[in-house]
Amino acid sequence: MFSKIATTKSTDSYWDNIEKMKIKIQSADAVLIGAGAGLSASAGFT
């Protein structure tokens, strides 16, 4: 089953945001990630 609704508008802005974040991370001195309980379990870290 295929959708007849075009999704390019939403995916374009999504990829634009990813590119912006990539540039900001590359130019940052450090990146702080805040995570709640269960992140390591959901990511497969033990």
Side-chain angles (χ1 to χ4, degrees):
M1 179 176 242
F2 297 98
S3 174
K4 294 181 181 181
I5 300 171
T7 57
T8 55
K9 288 183 182 178
S10 65
T11 55
D12 283 344
S13 64
Y14 179 75
W15 286 111
D16 289 342
N17 288 336
I18 290 176
E19 285 299 319
K20 289 177 187 176
M21 186 57 67
K22 178 182 168 185
I23 292 167
K24 290 181 183 210
I25 290 173
Q26 288 175 336
S27 64
D29 292 330
V31 177
L32 176 64
I33 300 173
L39 176 67
S40 61
S42 66
F45 298 118
T46 55

